[in-house]
Amino acid sequence: MEFEPKILGIACNWCTYTGADLAGTTRLKYPQNLRVVRVMCSSRINPSFIFRAFQLGADGVLVGGCHPGDCHYNTGNLYARRRLAVTKKILDFAGLEPSRFRVEWISASEGNKFAEVVKEFTEHVQILGPQTKFKIAGVS
Amino acid sequence: MTNFKQIEENLKKEAKKLLEAGSVAVVLAYTKGADEKHPQPFAAKKADDVANIIFNEYCNHNLARYIVRYAPGTKIAVAVKAADSRAVVVLIQEEKIKRENLILLGIPVSGMKNQKTGEIIDEKTTGGLTNPVVYDVLLGEEIHTGKPVSPYTVLEQYEKMDKDARFAFWKAQFDKCIRCYACRKACPMCYCDPCFIDQTKPRWADKSPQSHGNLMYHLTRFQHLAGRCIDCGECTRACPVDIPLYLFHKKVAKDCEEMFKQAAGMKIEDKLVMVDFRVEDSDKILE
Ligand code: SF4
Ligand code: SF4
């Protein structure tokens, strides 16, 4: 059977989540491997969420926020960018493939981009295979 | 090489002066421990205490650790070595203490030794610095070794490791952790109450010393120290099972310096990189 990755999506309410809605209402097709959690802003994302997601069995984590400059709260995503860049470096130095974690800026009008990114990221994680390094033994 | 006897004398002299004049409530310094190799941090509160102050090559403790224990507004004098002074700078940036409430007794260091192994620690930790970056009184001559060492050269062999090997390396290291939290206790930047790892809502990780809880504790701690760790190396020296935490902290510090063009705790006017941004920050850092 083909490997179906589990991907956690964390999307900001104002841009990426709305973009996902648009992808839905325009009936765009994208892989169903993504499970989306909505947060009010990408800067709401505690980096520990990412570590924890990998521990609880995520094969990939995709964070979506507004384009820099478009944040609903003006600067949230600019802080998030710095913070999550560090998270990515930490994953890398700890020995996890950093490309299992991706941050994308997707606006409310970019339903197409949302579908594209999900498709492309899912395929990428599929090639990487199951994430076993951080996963706690026994979680499914 | 630091003249330890001279520093000790000057430290005593300054401490005495400050306490007699009542210009500070406490002088943070070192005193004798079980033996010469194990000095202890010491808070001198009256002029009589000064006789107990010592300074030698094993006085590694970062005394900036103790500043946050005193009520805001307390006047404190602290003996700071090169790395310790950077910790003080970060504490000032984080508004844990005001510069005007501090008297910094700077100590130029070269030839400090690890209490456990006796090896010289200068080039491994302390950011390659010998002189404090900020001080009010310097207790000895400035030291210039001539060859500035990059604090990051020790990282090379780990950076070029293959990912799986690096994972195996860190897993073996973190699996040794007994979760005594001595690393957190020793770190001048770890003052949160409660620490995320002690929280129960949410419960971020298991509290028992098992692989996954250990991994969560350490990775999150590295993240929380991003742009704040000043490479004093105390976490590593405090660790009873010798986990080389400093390597990971150095790596994060190096990445931060490359991405944000600023090392932690060098200038009081700097803003901490994690609570700052530039509109021109590039998305490249996320690649
Ligand atoms: S993490 Fe370690 S090296 Fe960094 S400031 Fe804390 S004790 Fe010092
Ligand atoms: S000091 Fe060492 S054993 Fe103790 S919690 Fe820190 S890393 Fe673990």
Side-chain angles (χ1 to χ4, degrees), chain B residues 86-279:
Chain B
R86 293 174 67 190
V88 171
V89 169
V90 176
L91 290 173
I92 296 171
Q93 289 168 344
E94 293 180 345
E95 297 179 12
K96 282 283 147 190
I97 177 106
K98 289 206 169 77
R99 179 68 182 93
E100 60 264 32
N101 290 334
L102 279 176
I103 293 183
L104 301 173
L105 309 172
I107 304 177
V109 278
S110 159
M112 298 297 291
K113 288 183 187 155
N114 185 320
Q115 298 181 342
K116 274 189 247 174
T117 60
E119 83 186 303
I120 304 260
I121 61 173
D122 298 347
E123 304 202 350
K124 236 169 141 178
T125 53
T126 73
L129 289 179
T130 46
N131 300 312
V133 296
V134 51
Y135 55 81
D136 298 301
V137 188
L138 198 62
L139 303 175
E141 303 277 292
E142 276 201 17
I143 296 175
H144 295 283
T145 50
K147 45 164 187 38
V149 278
S150 159
Y152 304 130
T153 35
V154 286
L155 287 175
E156 270 165 28
Q157 78 183 94
Y158 301 92
E159 284 173 333
K160 62 173 187 254
M161 259 184 188
D162 150 81
K163 274 204 184 19
D164 294 342
R166 200 159 56 218
F167 177 74
F169 169 77
W170 283 116
K171 178 161 170 32
Q173 292 295 346
F174 295 152
D175 280 1
K176 294 195 299 193
C177 175
I178 55 170
R179 298 287 278 284
C180 64
Y181 301 128
C183 43
R184 178 179 80 181
K185 206 85 190 162
C187 176
M189 262 69 250
C190 273
Y191 51 68
C192 296
D193 183 23
C195 175
F196 81 98
I197 202 73
D198 295 332
Q199 288 177 336
T200 46
K201 277 184 183 175
R203 190 160 173 252
W204 292 103
D206 254 355
K207 309 227 187 285
S208 52
Q210 295 182 35
S211 291
H212 52 273
N214 293 358
L215 183 79
M216 190 69 185
Y217 167 58
H218 287 293
L219 295 191
T220 305
R221 190 162 169 275
F222 298 141
Q223 172 92 37
H224 289 184
L225 279 149
R228 308 171 62 231
C229 167
I230 43 73
D231 198 17
C232 63
E234 268 300 280
C235 46
T236 310
R237 288 190 290 275
C239 180
V241 293
D242 296 322
I243 300 174
L245 299 167
Y246 75 98
L247 289 172
F248 217 121
H249 285 298
K250 262 182 197 291
K251 174 65 178 157
V252 176
K254 181 184 175 190
D255 288 333
C256 282
E257 203 175 325
E258 277 169 10
M259 292 190 289
F260 314 128
K261 316 282 179 264
Q262 184 183 307
M266 296 305 278
K267 279 198 244 93
I268 293 174
E269 316 77 75
D270 284 347
K271 222 171 152 193
L272 291 148
V273 295
M274 282 293 111
V275 291
D276 195 16
F277 62 82
R278 299 273 179 283
V279 177

Side-chain angles (χ1 to χ4, degrees), chain A residues 6-27:
Chain A
K6 261 192 207 164
I7 296 176
L8 172 71
I10 312 181
C12 97
N13 179 59
W14 305 100
C15 293
T16 309
Y17 197 86
T18 319
D21 264 351
L22 182 65
T25 45
T26 21
R27 304 279 184 269

